[in-house]
Amino acid sequence: MKKKKEITVPELSELQEELNRVKYKKRFKRVLTSTVSTLIVVAAVAVLIATLLMPVLQIYGTSMSPTLYDGDIIATWKTTDFRQGDVVAFYYNNKILVKRVIAMSGEWVDMDEEGNVYVNDVLLDEPYLVERAIGECDIKLPYQVPENRIFVMGDHRSVSVDSRSTTVGCVSEEQLVGKLVFRVWPIQDIGTVR
């Protein structure tokens, strides 16, 4: 009969250390796999939300100043429910333009020589404007907004190219990206877009 080898205390501690290392490696691998999986899911959900529900846009140009400035980063809400005064983004010639809703389909838009805007013969209250100007306007006023379209104008009227120009015209529902709701950059201006 063979004699069993007795394990001494130093060998036992080495075995215990090796067992602890193996357990640690397994636990580390599980935690790492779980963390990476969670990060991938969170990133995928963030991309889906940003693409399908809340696109994020960066403003280029000055056609919406003083409301929005060049470099501002804005979160947009995908919706088809727009009202007069909302700031919207829409596709135009492979670009995204940002303008303010002035009138809805069927409404009449008119402007006087000072740049005051009238919708259905009612003067618009536009506290967001610094200056009033006719700007680039080659449409015949008064102008009736066609069916399923909205009439938009920039807040910096003297430089904005918008629905007053036949180049851009009125915006169809298919062109709309969404309503600008929240400025996320620069930090000192974080807040809702009005």
Side-chain angles (χ1 to χ4, degrees), residues 72-89:
D72 286 359
I73 298 177
I74 310 294
T76 318
W77 184 254
K78 283 211 172 208
T79 182
T80 55
D81 181 33
F82 300 105
R83 294 189 172 85
Q84 186 181 70
D86 288 345
V87 179
V88 298

Side-chain angles (χ1 to χ4, degrees), residues 29 40 55 77 87 115 119-120 139 145 152 154-155 167 178 180 194:
K29 189 175 179 182
I40 289 171
W77 184 254
V87 179
V119 175
N120 295 330
I139 61 171
V145 182
V152 296
D155 289 355
T167 306
L180 279 66
R194 298 180 194 268

Side-chain angles (χ1 to χ4, degrees), residues 115-161:
N116 293 308
V117 178
Y118 298 84
V119 175
N120 295 330
D121 294 324
V122 176
L123 176 65
L124 282 187
D125 178 30
E126 299 182 287
Y128 41 81
L129 294 181
V130 172
E131 65 168 329
R132 297 183 188 284
I134 292 180
E136 185 178 321
C137 182
D138 63 1
I139 61 171
K140 186 177 182 313
L141 295 171
Y143 177 82
Q144 186 175 26
V145 182
E147 192 66 32
N148 297 322
R149 303 217 176 237
I150 57 174
F151 191 93
V152 296
M153 294 171 73
D155 289 355
H156 192 178
R157 300 279 163 83
S158 60
V159 299
S160 178
V161 178

Side-chain angles (χ1 to χ4, degrees), residues 1-190:
M1 202 178 216
K2 262 185 168 178
K3 270 186 159 179
K4 286 185 177 180
K5 182 180 175 188
E6 289 185 28
I7 300 176
T8 62
V9 175
E11 291 175 340
L12 187 61
S13 68
E14 287 174 12
L15 286 173
Q16 186 63 40
E17 247 181 62
E18 185 62 31
L19 184 61
N20 287 343
R21 265 193 293 263
V22 169
K23 284 181 182 178
Y24 176 79
K25 285 180 180 180
K26 284 182 180 179
R27 191 171 57 233
F28 179 78
K29 189 175 179 182
R30 272 196 320 266
V31 169
L32 183 63
T33 303
S34 173
T35 302
V36 168
S37 300
T38 302
L39 289 173
I40 289 171
V41 168
V42 167
V45 169
V47 166
L48 283 174
I49 288 173
T51 304
L52 301 175
L53 199 56
M54 289 190 75
V56 177
L57 307 173
Q58 183 170 6
I59 303 300
Y60 293 99
T62 60
S63 72
M64 281 302 292
S65 63
T67 305
L68 301 169
Y69 293 97
D70 190 45
D72 286 359
I73 298 177
I74 310 294
T76 318
W77 184 254
K78 283 211 172 208
T79 182
T80 55
D81 181 33
F82 300 105
R83 294 189 172 85
Q84 186 181 70
D86 288 345
V87 179
V88 298
F90 59 94
Y91 293 106
Y92 172 74
N93 281 351
N94 295 325
K95 295 180 191 172
I96 295 180
L97 300 183
V98 173
K99 306 292 178 191
R100 189 175 298 273
V101 175
I102 299 299
M104 308 305 284
S105 63
E107 294 183 319
W108 287 89
V109 178
D110 200 4
M111 291 180 73
D112 62 20
E113 297 81 31
E114 287 84 40
N116 293 308
V117 178
Y118 298 84
V119 175
N120 295 330
D121 294 324
V122 176
L123 176 65
L124 282 187
D125 178 30
E126 299 182 287
Y128 41 81
L129 294 181
V130 172
E131 65 168 329
R132 297 183 188 284
I134 292 180
E136 185 178 321
C137 182
D138 63 1
I139 61 171
K140 186 177 182 313
L141 295 171
Y143 177 82
Q144 186 175 26
V145 182
E147 192 66 32
N148 297 322
R149 303 217 176 237
I150 57 174
F151 191 93
V152 296
M153 294 171 73
D155 289 355
H156 192 178
R157 300 279 163 83
S158 60
V159 299
S160 178
V161 178
D162 45 44
S163 293
R164 297 171 292 173
S165 167
T166 54
T167 306
V168 175
C170 291
V171 180
S172 69
E173 290 178 13
E174 296 81 33
Q175 291 175 274
L176 291 166
V177 174
K179 179 163 88 171
L180 279 66
V181 291
F182 196 78
R183 182 187 343 246
V184 295
W185 186 262
I187 292 192
Q188 68 269 18
D189 293 329
I190 285 179

